Amino acid sequence: MILVARTIGPAELLDYDRNKLRGMIIEDGGSQSHVAIVAKALGLTAIGRIRRVVERVTTGDAAILDGETGEIHLRPSQELIDAYSDKVRFRAGRQQQYAELKDKPSTTKDGEHISLHINAGLQLDMAHLDESGAEGVGLFRTELLFMLSNSIPRLDRQISSYKAILAEAGDKPVIFRSLDIGGDKVLPYLRSTPEENPAIGWRAIRMSLDRPGLFRMQVRAFLRASAGKHLNLMIPMVTVPSELDAIRVLIDKEQALLKKWGYEAPVAVSVGAMLEVPSLLFDLDALMQRVDFLSVGSNDLLQFLFAADRTNANVADRYDELSRAPLLALREIVRAADKHGVTLAVCGEMAGRPLEAMALIGLGYHRLSMSPASIGPVKTMILSLNRTKLTNRMNELLQSNSEQIRVALKDFAAENDIEL
Ligand code: PEP
Ligand code: MG
């Protein structure tokens, strides 16, 4: 079954029978909208930005969805079906190759290890950790648990969810992100005033600091669920470094209560931030001094850097992430993290696209977090890459004011037999 809709929220998607639903076509929404991210997590092929598709289909129509190109073919001819059947067989062969790479370390040809992690948001994603051979969960989006509930999940329910996730991860680390509600992630039961610009409105850490009750309950649940384990807690949408001081006060209070009530504590608590707001680019030293780790949320960072709404089909892909401004910004982050010895990752969608991941590695990133299906293609690229050569090339490109960086990087990959 293929779902065709004008627009749909991530929670609605879960109302459909997952054994039947194979894909979805939506008129709205870019590849980085949350419904697309949830669809990916569910293993669905999701195609967005197909104008007027709802009025052009009739129930029962056959359709081919090409997740690679973003194209759809309504009522396809037999020739097209045959051509796509070949393509699907070829893809299955590739999946087999990726599966064989699972236990192979993701190391470049010149010996740089690149740590690959998965993004997750549902307990069922955790099975992908071993399947993909990823080293851990670089981003666990906890808001999905809240979006799928009819009311705020109570403390005991949160504890058991987080515990189950940690149990499935075994020895592999999990980075839990505190609630990032707002933007296109809405909780129907949480009353909030309508906003003109919700993506830059009262969301994530801003809500946590103004109404700490919900945040503190979540921290309490993380701490309780991580008894005897390492808790990695990541804060979204930090805009000024001092917000992290206020967040630390709340976490400290919860740690003190945990002790007072006699619960077993985690063996360690690391607090990190997402870098998603451009103001932080100009205050990197102060930021680095306050975090145990940092993850670049390139989906939001780029939408704010380019002032281009990631969910608006007309502008979402208008500006190139492989162009000078974002690449220079991303390189500055690496320099500051190296200077302060802060563990740095990228967990936005660009980390899961082989060419973009290659560029990130060229800039000095050693840790990438992505949807599980991207681990195989990205690892394949890494195994065929000489990082030093790429870094030199990227430095040249960034110095030369090139406006064709994407093309130049593709050429570099072709000349050096890098598998993209
Ligand atoms: C991001 O902004 O890049 C990110 C990973 O967070 P989300 O997609 O959940 O906003
Ligand atoms: Mg984000």
Side-chain angles (χ1 to χ4, degrees):
M1 184 174 83
I2 294 166
L3 171 70
V4 183
R6 289 221 158 80
T7 178
I8 183 171
E12 277 171 84
L13 203 54
L14 290 140
D15 292 340
Y16 291 87
D17 180 348
R18 291 240 289 289
N19 295 319
K20 295 205 180 115
L21 189 62
R22 304 299 298 276
M24 58 182 242
I25 308 171
I26 40 175
E27 293 191 354
D28 239 345
S31 61
Q32 291 159 20
S33 69
H34 282 95
V35 66
I37 290 167
V38 174
K40 225 171 172 182
L42 296 174
L44 299 176
T45 302
I47 312 275
R49 286 184 291 133
I50 305 290
R51 282 168 210 269
R52 298 187 9 249
V53 66
V54 172
E55 67 191 59
R56 282 188 274 162
V57 294
T58 316
T59 306
D61 275 352
I64 293 174
L65 277 59
D66 188 332
E68 239 163 46
T69 61
E71 288 169 338
I72 63 161
H73 304 278
L74 288 178
R75 301 177 285 275
S77 64
Q78 191 55 45
E79 286 82 3
L80 203 60
I81 295 175
D82 292 344
Y84 266 93
S85 304
D86 284 347
K87 212 171 162 174
V88 168
R89 269 193 292 279
F90 173 74
R91 186 97 48 85
R94 278 200 121 173
Q95 289 305 331
Q96 180 61 31
Q97 285 171 11
Y98 296 147
E100 284 159 15
L101 289 182
K102 163 174 128 49
D103 297 318
K104 213 171 161 147
S106 43
T107 306
T108 63
K109 286 207 301 199
D110 52 338
E112 292 268 352
H113 180 68
I114 312 295
S115 189
L116 301 182
H117 298 250
I118 60 164
N119 292 346
L122 298 164
Q123 200 190 322
L124 62 97
D125 292 333
M126 297 304 290
H128 299 309
L129 196 48
D130 278 340
E131 270 164 35
S132 64
E135 292 178 30
V137 179
L139 165 65
F140 195 99
R141 293 181 165 101
T142 57
E143 49 280 355
L144 291 180
L145 170 72
F146 286 69
M147 283 162 134
L148 302 180
S149 183
N150 295 324
S151 56
I152 294 178
R154 288 164 32 161
L155 180 67
D156 50 357
R157 169 123 183 268
Q158 287 194 50
I159 295 173
S160 62
S161 299
Y162 305 146
K163 255 193 184 154
I165 289 152
L166 289 170
E168 288 213 38
D171 293 336
K172 296 185 176 180
V174 177
I175 296 180
F176 285 111
R177 177 172 77 182
S178 61
L179 263 187
D180 183 5
I181 289 301
D184 62 339
K185 290 168 279 196
V186 187
L187 296 184
Y189 47 84
L190 211 66
R191 249 187 306 134
S192 54
T193 34
E195 295 182 293
E196 280 291 325
N197 294 301
I200 51 173
W202 195 55
R203 63 178 276 203
I205 188 175
R206 301 166 184 183
M207 247 167 143
S208 302
L209 291 175
D210 292 351
R211 299 266 172 83
L214 193 56
F215 177 76
R216 283 186 65 171
M217 174 158 77
Q218 199 180 22
V219 171
R220 194 172 300 177
F222 288 141
L223 290 167
R224 295 266 302 274
S226 310
K229 299 187 174 180
H230 189 148
L231 169 61
N232 295 292
L233 171 57
M234 181 152 75
I235 312 295
M237 287 295 291
V238 176
T239 305
V240 290
S242 62
E243 286 174 327
L244 284 165
D245 299 336
I247 279 291
R248 288 265 187 186
V249 170
L250 299 176
I251 298 169
D252 288 349
K253 280 186 182 162
E254 284 303 320
Q255 282 186 283
L257 280 179
L258 191 81
K259 202 168 164 192
K260 186 173 155 197
W261 292 333
Y263 290 109
E264 186 187 359
V267 288
V269 177
S270 299
V271 180
M274 294 200 59
L275 200 163
E276 307 175 276
V277 183
S279 58
L280 289 180
L281 295 171
F282 303 93
D283 212 357
L284 286 168
D285 284 325
L287 173 68
M288 296 296 172
Q289 282 158 11
R290 288 171 165 87
V291 291
D292 298 317
F293 61 89
L294 189 73
S295 194
V296 178
S298 53
N299 304 340
D300 275 320
L301 182 62
L302 291 163
Q303 84 160 338
F304 299 135
L305 205 57
F306 286 134
D309 183 349
R310 64 192 265 193
T311 65
N312 179 336
N314 291 324
V315 297
D317 296 328
R318 191 178 186 97
Y319 303 104
D320 191 355
E321 51 205 9
L322 296 184
S323 55
R324 275 176 63 75
L327 291 175
L328 289 172
L330 288 161
R331 191 172 66 179
E332 280 317 301
I333 301 168
V334 175
R335 287 182 177 163
D338 285 350
K339 180 171 145 197
H340 292 269
V342 167
T343 305
L344 176 66
V346 178
C347 62
E349 296 298 293
M350 75 182 289
R353 288 194 281 272
L355 182 67
E356 281 78 355
M358 183 186 94
L360 290 169
I361 293 168
L363 294 175
Y365 287 84
H366 283 84
R367 190 176 277 256
L368 303 174
S369 194
M370 61 198 73
S371 77
S374 298
I375 297 274
V378 169
K379 195 189 270 189
T380 304
M381 177 276 293
I382 290 170
L383 294 174
S384 58
L385 172 71
N386 180 314
R387 194 197 81 116
T388 314
K389 207 169 165 187
L390 169 65
T391 299
N392 293 340
R393 181 75 186 114
M394 284 195 71
N395 286 339
E396 273 168 27
L397 285 169
L398 290 172
Q399 216 147 31
S400 70
N401 282 345
S402 168
E403 283 177 13
Q404 296 292 328
I405 297 178
R406 176 176 292 276
V407 175
L409 288 174
K410 273 192 189 155
D411 290 347
F412 175 87
E415 285 154 19
N416 291 280
D417 296 324
I418 297 165
E419 291 185 50
L420 293 178

